[in-house]
Amino acid sequence: MGNTFGQLFTLTTFGESHGEAVGGIVDGMPPGIDIDIPFIQSELDRRRPGQSVITTGRQEADQVELLSGIFEGRSTGSPIGFLVRNTNQHSQDYDNMQNLFRPSHADYTYYNKYGIRDHRGGGRSSARITIARCVGGALAKLALKPLGIRIQAYTSQVGNIALDKDYRLYDLSRTDDNIVRCPDPNKAREMEALIKQVKLEGDTIGGIITCVIQGCPIGLGEPEFGKLHAQLGAAMLSINAVKGFEYGEGFDGVFSKGSEQNDVFVNGDGGITTTTNHSGGIQGGISNGQDIFFRVAFKPVATLLREQQTVDIHGNTTTIHARGRHDPCVLPRAVPIVEAMAAMVILDGVLLNNSIKTLKNVNK
């Protein structure tokens, strides 16, 4: 249970970190969309391991195989099945963890829930499963492109090193110009140095990814339990290592008065708009046409390349010293995952909105 995401545009994932492959089925893809396979692969390349000195050393091509739902380069409207084969597993690196519970991992909860767990790389709880999300998100981006909806995430904080400017003051198109995926090159160098330092210490570090959605139409989201920010929050909190989500002014808004926070409506050149966007593009759970922006907090990676105390499956106190290839900081590789989840939420909202409009027209 719990392996399918979305309502009309859905992604069902399968696979384990050290299994044969990771893959999924996308259902609800609108027909007639140009399927740009190099673009889909490029989204996987942004997530793949081994891409820089500050990521895991696991070397995987992460080559996607599209199995169905596409004819002559366009989506047919039928389910799109896809597969990414695992080719560089070092399962022996996890032999010493078979009967131990790694601190802050899913080992203990999985073992208690299911009575069995795949200890090799975390199995189903591994961040490698996010491959499927990137494929689903890439397909969603292709469907959103003709609508003029653009999604850009970037690393805005690593440890105590943070960007201190409004996202509109950065050239977000330069995000991928450095290995940290931060649009400020000076801050990116500081972040890179910090990640390298904690890696040398056998430790890890967390941070924040900011995401901006531009060109989103008015009306996405439902007024009660399907609020757009709630859907975005659920999507982001389903990503491995995510500990927090806030949109608009978020928690910083508590320092302001209502007179300072309210987004005042005015009649602009393009119609009704607001003078500010403290709401983050969402009011009453529904998009208002302004930029949607939110922040996602990632904890430090739980796997440390140093000795830690733990217990075994029998409750006996012991120690664990992890081996293998692990990220000292997940943020650079998590940027495309955040974008992917946002794209799927927005496309789902567009399709739901269109279905409501269709029913209204039918009932006229």
Side-chain angles (χ1 to χ4, degrees), residues 36 119 142 199 265 287 335 342:
D36 185 343
H119 66 280
L142 291 174
K199 181 180 180 180
F265 289 105
S287 60
V335 165

Side-chain angles (χ1 to χ4, degrees), residues 264-275:
V264 176
F265 289 105
V266 294
N267 195 358
D269 294 337
I272 295 175
T273 185
T274 56
T275 57

Side-chain angles (χ1 to χ4, degrees), residues 177-193:
D177 285 359
N178 56 73
I179 59 177
V180 183
R181 293 203 164 91
C182 171
D184 183 325
N186 295 322
K187 289 289 187 180
R189 283 189 287 270
E190 294 180 40
M191 293 173 180
E192 181 182 344

Side-chain angles (χ1 to χ4, degrees), residues 7-254:
Q7 299 179 72
L8 295 186
F9 180 89
T10 65
L11 169 68
T12 301
T13 73
F14 64 84
E16 293 82 32
S17 176
H18 286 231
E20 290 297 318
V22 173
I25 298 174
V26 167
D27 204 359
M29 181 71 175
I33 301 297
D34 290 329
I35 302 302
D36 185 343
I37 295 177
F39 170 74
I40 296 172
Q41 186 60 53
S42 71
E43 292 294 272
L44 280 177
D45 291 344
R46 295 172 72 209
R47 192 225 71 94
R48 73 174 178 83
Q51 59 184 277
S52 78
V53 295
I54 59 172
T55 63
T56 170
R58 180 171 177 169
Q59 294 293 324
E60 294 276 6
D62 285 354
Q63 193 71 38
V64 64
E65 303 173 36
L66 300 177
L67 308 176
S68 62
I70 300 167
F71 179 67
E72 295 182 342
R74 303 173 77 189
S75 59
T76 63
S78 60
I80 298 177
F82 62 88
L83 196 68
V84 175
R85 300 184 186 278
N86 297 325
T87 61
N88 190 231
Q89 310 96 311
H90 287 182
S91 299
Q92 68 275 9
D93 288 342
Y94 298 88
D95 288 347
N96 67 322
M97 305 180 193
Q98 186 170 359
N99 296 313
L100 303 179
F101 296 131
R102 293 171 298 170
S104 288
H105 280 77
D107 300 347
Y108 178 73
T109 50
Y110 266 56
Y111 185 75
N112 276 270
K113 182 177 178 67
Y114 300 109
I116 186 173
R117 69 181 175 93
D118 184 348
H119 66 280
R120 304 167 304 167
R124 185 68 176 156
S125 69
S126 170
R128 184 154 179 77
I129 309 306
T130 57
I131 284 173
R133 299 174 184 229
C134 285
V135 177
L139 289 167
K141 282 185 176 182
L142 291 174
L144 293 173
K145 185 177 180 180
L147 303 177
I149 299 174
R150 303 170 303 281
I151 300 170
Q152 178 67 65
Y154 60 92
T155 300
S156 55
Q157 183 169 343
V158 174
N160 62 354
I161 302 170
L163 301 187
D164 54 6
K165 298 178 183 177
D166 187 294
Y167 72 88
R168 291 169 293 185
L169 300 177
Y170 296 102
D171 181 359
L172 300 188
S173 68
R174 306 298 301 274
T175 295
D176 281 26
D177 285 359
N178 56 73
I179 59 177
V180 183
R181 293 203 164 91
C182 171
D184 183 325
N186 295 322
K187 289 289 187 180
R189 283 189 287 270
E190 294 180 40
M191 293 173 180
E192 181 182 344
L194 176 58
I195 295 171
K196 287 179 177 178
Q197 181 59 41
V198 298
K199 181 180 180 180
L200 283 173
E201 297 168 355
D203 216 327
T204 61
I205 193 80
I208 295 173
I209 288 175
T210 297
C211 186
V212 182
I213 305 172
Q214 296 176 308
C216 189
I218 301 170
L220 302 191
E222 305 306 317
E224 183 60 12
F225 298 112
K227 290 180 170 64
L228 183 57
H229 57 268
Q231 295 178 55
L232 286 169
M236 298 306 142
L237 289 165
S238 74
I239 300 172
N240 307 55
V242 169
K243 286 295 188 180
F245 169 85
E246 62 175 358
Y247 74 103
E249 291 295 311
F251 286 99
D252 286 342
V254 303

